[in-house]
Amino acid sequence: MPLTADMRRSIDQIRDYLFGGGYPDPVSNAEQLCFLFFFYLVHNIDSEATGNADVMDMSFQSLFEGDWELRNPANAQITSTHDGWMPLTANDTGAPRIPRSCFRWSVWAHQLSGDELVRFVRDEVFPFFAEISERSAHDFMRGARLGIEEPTVLTQVVHLVDGLRLDQADADTKGDLFEHVLRQMKQAGELGQFRTPRHILRAIVEMVDPQVGETVYDPAAGTAGFLVAAYNHMRLANSSPENIVEAELEGKVHRRGLGDLLTPERLGTLRRGSFFGNDVDPKMVRLATMNLSLRGLGKVRILQRNVLTTQLNDDVKQRLGQPAQGFDIVLANPPFSGRIDKDRIVDDVKVGTTSATELLFLRYMLDSLRPGGRAAVVVPEGVLFGSTVAHRELRRQLIERHQVDAIMSLPGGVFQPYSGVKTSVLFFHRDGGTDRVLFLHVENDGYRLDANHDTPIKSDDLPALSHTYVRREEAWAQWSARESAAEWNEKWWFADADTLRANDYSLSASRYRPISASQVEHQDPRALLDELAAIEAEILKELETLRNMLGEFDE
């Protein structure tokens, strides 16, 4: 069942109720919807498991069997004022108890409203499901609380969630629905993290081409967009033509496969042993967990962890099922703007004396790959040309000790409305050495580069440049055979390692671009402004670093 216009409208109504009711934070609102989706889905999963057990004549204990001691005695009156509620009992101490069956969504969500609903959900439903969550590997509800305490708003939101009928939707539809929820997040987090546009994710994943059996890791997972894109890519690659469908998302049509050619064993590997991630923000961990669970990836565990300040020993990695030698693939868009207290940075990720998160994350990701593993990482443009000792040393290590495959330069407006920062995607393999680097220049990504970046347009360089990356050996032959004096009008070019060394290991695409007469005449002023903005941002960062260093000397 595809995501329908009615389902989208229901999500938009929920957003409007929340915003109008005094809940303007879209991240918190998405988190609250996570909880309500969880309550709804657990009810239906438990009912299905109970029915299957009855059919197969197997023993099964429902989560809703037994009694629950009320946390707030004021909720005792509910049992006598609403039809369908089970009778109230008391334990040896006289504390009021109700049957756990009252926590089925079909009971409290259908029977209660207003102040009663707020009180029961806040004081009973959240603790009940937190107890269930505590026994699972994910502990999805740790620290969770009801954030919607306006009675009319909560009543309307519960009613609209009920109307979505998530139990009747397939995994892809539920995932698309949740992506529509996540699209409402229009602000960057405190650490500079923000939601990566899904068409950018898909293009990057297609270029890296993960295969079933490979492990995929995102150390700054956010809402798990990269992991979802990798899962969908592998399913598409293992689908017969008749089981490939077209889905419309964010105004664009893309293909999706059902993965019908996967054997049960390979499907099990894909769902249980392929994807790994972390995030420092508990809200992001919950959003990522829900995003994965709705798509059938409920066994994937996203850890709440800052990889720059904590380490996992071998025993913990083994317990978590992480590969001992490192991951096959790292895909990430780590936070750009943060800095960490130097005393908290673990030794393994240090690059000189820098505390810039974008450099520390890049170093960490290099060490997270197994030998020969590959990565695609979104980096701010300053990483490619910054002049600090840490910038130059990290680029030197990348080029001399590892294989930098390509740099894909993205337009400055790609991450609007979160940020106008100019970024590139760095593609590399661990170990070896760099002979040459392919530079890919994206002028248009299929969406208007305005303040919202959500209006589809026809101009889209991503498909052709993705294809160039995949056939980069052929592209190198074409580049090598060119006439050096001839016009070069392609949006891609190469630079060899000697040229990179001569330019202080700079990986800035514009430095090596062969400018033709037509390009000079028609050079987009937006691109020039993007490059100037990136240079200015890097200068400001380096000035801040110098100030911090001088401050340390004064102490």
Side-chain angles (χ1 to χ4, degrees):
M1 179 179 75
L3 181 64
T4 65
D6 285 343
M7 297 174 86
R8 286 193 181 93
R9 277 194 293 270
S10 292
I11 292 298
D12 292 341
Q13 279 185 284
I14 291 172
R15 176 201 62 198
D16 292 343
Y17 275 121
L18 290 170
F19 277 45
Y23 301 95
D25 180 9
V27 177
S28 295
N29 293 344
E31 182 189 36
Q32 292 294 304
L33 279 180
C34 272
F35 298 140
L36 294 176
F37 287 175
F38 179 60
F39 304 156
Y40 184 100
L41 291 169
V42 167
H43 170 197
N44 287 281
I45 291 170
D46 186 84
S47 297
E48 185 176 332
T50 302
N52 291 339
D54 290 342
V55 170
M56 300 177 69
D57 196 24
M58 297 173 59
S59 61
F60 174 77
Q61 183 172 4
S62 168
L63 297 171
F64 300 101
E65 289 182 14
D67 290 338
W68 170 264
E69 184 176 315
L70 290 175
R71 302 299 191 262
N72 184 350
N75 286 312
Q77 62 179 324
I78 291 174
T79 59
S80 61
T81 56
H82 291 277
D83 294 336
W85 283 71
M86 301 297 290
L88 189 72
T89 60
N91 60 15
D92 294 339
T93 64
R97 303 173 68 88
I98 59 173
R100 294 169 72 94
S101 59
C102 294
F103 290 95
R104 293 182 182 275
W105 177 275
S106 59
V107 178
W108 62 267
H110 291 181
Q111 291 283 334
L112 302 181
S113 62
D115 292 326
E116 279 187 337
L117 177 65
V118 170
R119 189 176 64 241
F120 189 74
V121 172
R122 181 191 62 214
D123 300 336
E124 313 298 343
V125 174
F126 267 75
F128 176 84
F129 283 100
E131 179 187 278
I132 292 174
S133 176
E134 195 174 50
R135 300 197 298 264
S136 72
H138 293 293
D139 199 0
F140 177 75
M141 296 284 294
R142 178 185 296 177
R145 57 176 291 276
L146 177 65
I148 309 170
E149 296 197 345
E150 208 294 316
T152 302
V153 174
L154 183 62
T155 301
Q156 292 290 352
V157 170
V158 168
H159 174 73
L160 287 167
V161 169
D162 187 66
L164 292 173
R165 299 313 308 253
L166 294 174
D167 56 317
Q168 297 179 5
D170 58 37
D172 286 324
T173 301
K174 286 186 284 194
D176 291 346
L177 176 69
F178 196 63
E179 282 293 343
H180 192 67
V181 173
L182 298 179
R183 286 190 69 190
Q184 314 307 321
M185 295 162 52
K186 300 287 188 183
Q187 294 176 337
E190 291 182 2
L191 298 178
Q193 72 269 35
F194 40 75
R195 178 177 177 269
T196 310
R198 275 17 185 183
H199 65 288
I200 300 292
L201 293 179
R202 288 194 294 271
I204 293 172
V205 168
E206 286 172 10
M207 295 164 76
V208 175
D209 191 25
Q211 302 293 308
V212 177
E214 292 185 313
T215 51
V216 182
Y217 177 48
D218 186 345
T223 60
F226 263 124
L227 301 182
V228 168
Y231 172 62
N232 287 338
H233 175 84
M234 287 188 261
R235 283 201 308 159
L236 178 61
N238 290 275
S239 298
S240 56
E242 59 271 21
N243 282 298
I244 295 177
V245 298
E246 290 188 340
E248 185 271 321
L249 286 176
E250 300 181 349
K252 295 277 187 176
V253 175
H254 72 280
R255 297 193 309 156
R256 173 180 290 155
L258 301 182
D260 59 296
L261 299 181
L262 291 167
T263 64
E265 181 181 6
R266 283 166 60 82
L267 183 60
T269 297
L270 183 61
R271 288 181 171 173
R272 290 187 290 273
S274 297
F275 304 107
F276 303 84
N278 315 299
D279 202 277
V280 67
D281 187 340
K283 289 183 179 180
M284 290 296 117
V285 172
R286 290 184 181 121
L287 295 177
T289 300
M290 179 57 65
N291 198 13
L292 293 164
S293 297
L294 290 173
R295 299 171 187 278
L297 297 174
K299 299 294 184 181
V300 178
R301 184 172 183 182
I302 303 298
L303 303 179
Q304 183 183 338
R305 174 180 171 234
N306 187 337
V307 299
L308 304 182
T309 60
T310 62
Q311 292 176 296
L312 301 179
N313 61 39
D314 291 341
D315 290 340
V316 173
K317 288 181 180 180
Q318 184 177 10
R319 178 169 56 82
L320 295 172
Q322 296 188 1
Q325 299 301 313
F327 300 94
D328 295 295
I329 297 170
V330 170
L331 302 168
N333 179 10
F336 299 160
S337 59
R339 288 190 180 273
I340 295 179
D341 181 32
K342 291 179 182 179
D343 294 336
R344 298 178 58 214
I345 301 170
V346 296
D347 290 339
D348 287 351
V349 305
K350 287 183 177 178
V351 185
T353 60
T354 187
S355 60
T357 56
E358 61 267 26
L359 299 180
L360 300 173
F361 264 111
L362 189 52
R363 170 63 191 277
Y364 170 80
M365 285 182 270
L366 274 168
D367 292 341
S368 298
L369 287 170
R370 66 162 179 78
R374 60 198 189 278
V377 183
V378 180
V379 296
E381 201 82 350
V383 169
L384 306 179
F385 61 78
S387 60
T388 69
V389 173
H391 281 87
R392 293 197 304 269
E393 174 58 19
L394 189 57
R395 292 198 303 269
R396 187 193 68 79
Q397 291 182 22
L398 276 167
I399 292 167
E400 301 294 355
R401 301 180 188 176
H402 307 282
Q403 180 182 327
V404 179
D405 299 309
I407 303 292
M408 183 166 71
S409 176
L410 299 174
V414 159
F415 290 108
Q416 293 287 18
Y418 311 98
S419 170
V421 65
K422 179 77 170 67
T423 59
S424 289
V425 186
L426 173 62
F427 296 86
F428 60 90
H429 282 70
R430 179 177 174 178
D431 298 332
T434 301
D435 295 324
R436 57 182 178 267
V437 174
L438 169 63
F439 292 95
L440 306 163
H441 180 67
V442 181
E443 291 181 357
N444 289 290
D445 69 331
Y447 290 84
R448 185 177 298 160
L449 295 170
D450 57 14
N452 292 314
H453 192 233
D454 58 3
T455 302
I457 60 174
K458 290 184 178 180
S459 297
D460 188 356
D461 298 322
L462 288 172
L465 293 178
S466 298
H467 181 66
T468 299
Y469 175 84
V470 171
R471 63 170 192 89
R472 54 191 179 276
E473 292 300 324
E474 297 175 34
W476 170 250
Q478 181 182 344
W479 170 262
S480 301
R482 80 194 190 286
E483 291 287 341
S484 58
E487 293 263 316
W488 185 261
N489 295 310
E490 302 290 347
K491 294 183 179 180
W492 56 268
W493 52 92
F494 283 88
D496 60 33
D498 287 338
T499 303
L500 299 173
R501 293 186 188 102
N503 284 277
D504 206 16
Y505 295 104
S506 173
L507 289 169
S508 177
S510 60
R511 173 164 292 193
Y512 307 103
R513 183 172 191 174
I515 301 296
S516 67
S518 61
Q519 287 169 338
V520 170
E521 183 179 348
H522 300 292
Q523 193 164 8
D524 189 346
R526 293 177 305 176
L528 291 172
L529 289 172
D530 288 342
E531 292 175 11
L532 288 172
I535 293 170
E536 181 184 15
E538 193 57 32
I539 290 172
L540 291 173
K541 279 190 177 181
E542 293 183 12
L543 286 173
E544 181 186 350
T545 300
L546 287 172
R547 287 195 190 94
N548 292 335
M549 291 173 62
L550 291 171
E552 291 174 3
F553 290 142
D554 291 338
E555 290 176 354

